[in-house]
Amino acid sequence: MNYEDFFKGRLQALQDEGNYRTFADIERRAGSFPNAACHNDNAPDNVTVWCSNDYLGMGQHPDVLQAMHETLDSCGAGAGGTRNISGTNHHHVLLERELADLHGKEAALLFTSGYVSNWATLSTLAAKVPDCVVLSDALNHASMIEGIRHSRCEKHVFKHNDVADLERRLGDLDPDAPKLIAFESVYSMDGDIAPIAEICDVADAYGAMTYLDEVHAVGLYGPRGGGVAEREGLMDRLTVIEGTLGKAFGVLGGYIAASAALCDFVRSFASGFIFTTALPPAVAAGAYTSIRHLKSSDAERLAQRERVAEVRARLRRIGIPTLENESHIVPVMVGDPIKCKWISDWLMANHGIYVQPINYPTVPKGTERLRLTPSPVHSAGDIDSLVTALSEIWSQCQLARSVA
Ligand SMILES: *Cc1c(COP(=O)(O)O)cnc(C)c1O
């Protein structure tokens, strides 16, 4: 086989269907988010980022940066080992305590990313609990799907956010079989929110564990940033709450919060926890500081909500079609991969507006979109520029407008 030709051929096929991914080569400027330097050809030197998951700008918060600087200087660069072999730094221990407290759980366990936390925890629980059956929401994140698949357990996919379908599937299973329901609170591409209470009711009725991915909600929802489950007073009803330190908390890492026994079980059996170098202490200290800040400060959450409402209202007024939802995510629907990429390129080249096109397989074909994440760091001027540019390109491309 000619391997090179094979690779090139498959890449050309992606190009032809408009699904080839290109990265914007940007350099974020701490202190002036959402502004970033851009190193791409055909783009201005300075751009405004409209698609960051650093939802609250915590990645440039002075307290977070100070904690990271201080810890870098005091502890050095890396952790120096896996958690088991010399890599557990006191900053990891403090962070895990903070996370357990955030979610009202006995314990928490850190991973090197949210992806790894989902993959490692779900694959371990589903594989090691004898005859465990997993019920998985149809729109679950790739990291959950891969973890479940890796466990080789029996798996049933229920219709997205459909409690009746979930209940019907649970009813078909052996009442004595161990069960685990895996789902998310805020789904990142449509921005819709799961009926957590109803899912917990059904889980209780059928004796199932619940596993909730709150990656797009931690820091953002609830009085202390504990997520949608905190906002709705449901944290104690969930077996496992999973989150990231890389999105609203602005740093890097993933975690689960659960009972002491469950966390200890995953700590003891999960390959994706055991056999990898721990997070750098400075990263742990930054995340710790970010969480502490957002536990007591509502200012960032309130400012974000304001910006989101403003962007939605302005786009609605000029008929740019957005997907309605109750979260902070504003999907502008294009519905065609080539147009979606072209509009994104045009916004970057002509207005220095950076919003990544979201195409298949991240979203279903025909629902290609620009996913906007307004945040406290976007100014009124940034919003004006965005709305003006979108209006211009919608007219130029003769894209349909929705009736206001
Ligand atoms: C981003 C994401 C993850 C992975 O988190 P990282 O910390 O970025 O690895 C997990 N679940 C969902 C729903 C996500 O969107």
Side-chain angles (χ1 to χ4, degrees):
M1 181 177 193
N2 187 325
Y3 302 115
E4 284 294 301
D5 282 353
F6 167 77
F7 299 142
K8 287 176 188 161
R10 294 298 292 263
L11 290 169
Q12 189 56 50
L14 277 182
Q15 297 258 21
D16 293 344
E17 61 192 26
N19 288 324
Y20 181 74
R21 290 165 185 239
T22 52
F23 297 156
D25 178 359
I26 62 167
E27 214 178 313
R28 302 213 298 162
R29 295 287 187 219
S32 59
F33 291 1
N35 298 314
C38 185
H39 297 279
N40 282 24
D41 300 336
N42 307 322
D45 294 340
N46 287 291
V47 299
T48 307
V49 180
W50 273 100
C51 54
S52 175
N53 281 339
D54 183 357
Y55 291 126
L56 300 175
M58 291 306 288
Q60 66 180 357
H61 194 283
D63 294 354
V64 174
L65 299 194
Q66 191 188 335
M68 293 188 75
H69 281 296
E70 283 172 4
T71 312
L72 182 62
D73 288 336
S74 63
C75 295
T82 64
R83 288 293 296 278
N84 191 34
I85 306 178
S86 90
T88 295
N89 191 280
H90 190 53
H91 292 284
H92 299 127
V93 178
L94 293 177
L95 176 54
E96 284 175 339
R97 256 181 230 156
E98 199 58 40
L99 288 164
D101 175 77
L102 177 65
H103 294 292
K105 298 288 183 193
E106 288 172 358
L109 191 67
L110 270 176
F111 297 83
T112 46
S113 73
Y115 187 103
V116 173
S117 64
N118 274 335
W119 185 88
T121 306
L122 285 169
S123 65
T124 302
L125 291 176
K128 304 273 188 218
V129 174
D131 302 317
C132 187
V133 181
V134 172
L135 295 108
S136 177
D137 186 283
L139 292 190
N140 273 346
H141 189 257
S143 55
M144 302 168 87
I145 297 169
E146 291 296 338
I148 295 163
R149 182 183 303 166
H150 183 76
S151 77
R152 298 190 182 161
C153 69
E154 180 180 335
K155 164 179 147 177
H156 299 274
V157 176
F158 61 93
K159 287 185 199 147
H160 175 56
N161 279 349
D162 187 334
V163 182
D165 187 51
L166 170 64
E167 181 156 26
R168 190 178 57 70
R169 288 168 192 278
L170 280 163
D172 288 343
L173 299 172
D174 173 359
D176 293 328
K179 301 168 193 80
L180 173 66
I181 303 170
F183 62 115
E184 301 179 21
S185 58
V186 177
Y187 285 84
S188 71
M189 291 303 148
D190 287 355
D192 55 337
I193 296 178
I196 303 173
E198 287 85 347
I199 291 176
C200 289
D201 289 343
V202 171
D204 289 348
Y206 290 85
M209 294 185 281
T210 46
Y211 183 103
L212 179 62
D213 173 323
E214 289 246 49
V215 161
H216 292 278
V218 290
L220 303 175
Y221 297 87
R224 300 198 310 160
V228 179
E230 187 199 19
R231 182 183 74 181
E232 298 177 0
L234 299 168
M235 292 197 295
D236 62 326
R237 299 195 61 195
L238 292 147
T239 314
V240 179
I241 295 175
E242 183 272 344
T244 184
L245 306 169
K247 291 174 183 171
F249 293 128
V251 192
L252 175 76
Y255 64 90
I256 57 166
S259 72
L262 191 147
C263 289
D264 204 17
F265 182 83
V266 175
R267 184 185 75 87
S268 304
F269 291 104
S271 155
F273 175 83
I274 297 170
F275 296 106
T276 190
T277 300
L279 286 172
V283 168
Y288 172 87
T289 306
S290 181
I291 293 164
R292 299 268 294 201
H293 178 84
L294 290 175
K295 266 182 184 169
S296 59
S297 170
D298 245 348
E300 292 80 6
R301 287 186 279 275
L302 293 175
Q304 184 204 30
R305 248 154 255 171
E306 233 172 66
R307 300 293 191 284
V308 169
E310 166 91 10
V311 169
R312 274 188 197 290
R314 297 275 298 271
L315 294 180
R316 193 179 304 131
R317 221 172 294 150
I318 58 168
I320 304 285
T322 60
L323 204 61
E324 287 303 313
N325 62 52
E326 280 168 18
S327 74
H328 58 284
I329 293 159
V330 184
V332 172
M333 305 309 282
V334 179
D336 177 273
I338 290 164
K339 269 187 197 151
C340 197
K341 164 99 174 62
W342 192 86
I343 292 171
S344 166
D345 290 344
W346 183 90
L347 287 168
M348 186 77 130
N350 294 280
H351 294 269
I353 289 171
Y354 171 38
V355 49
Q356 188 70 25
I358 309 281
N359 286 353
Y360 177 83
T362 308
V363 295
K365 289 183 181 175
T367 71
E368 291 80 6
R369 65 196 67 183
L370 303 169
R371 176 182 179 272
L372 301 174
T373 51
S375 91
V377 299
H378 291 105
S379 67
D382 293 332
I383 297 178
D384 284 344
S385 308
L386 172 77
V387 172
T388 307
L390 281 174
S391 184
E392 190 184 331
I393 193 62
W394 239 254
S395 302
Q396 242 189 63
C397 286
Q398 298 185 315
L399 285 162
R401 296 199 189 222
S402 50
V403 188

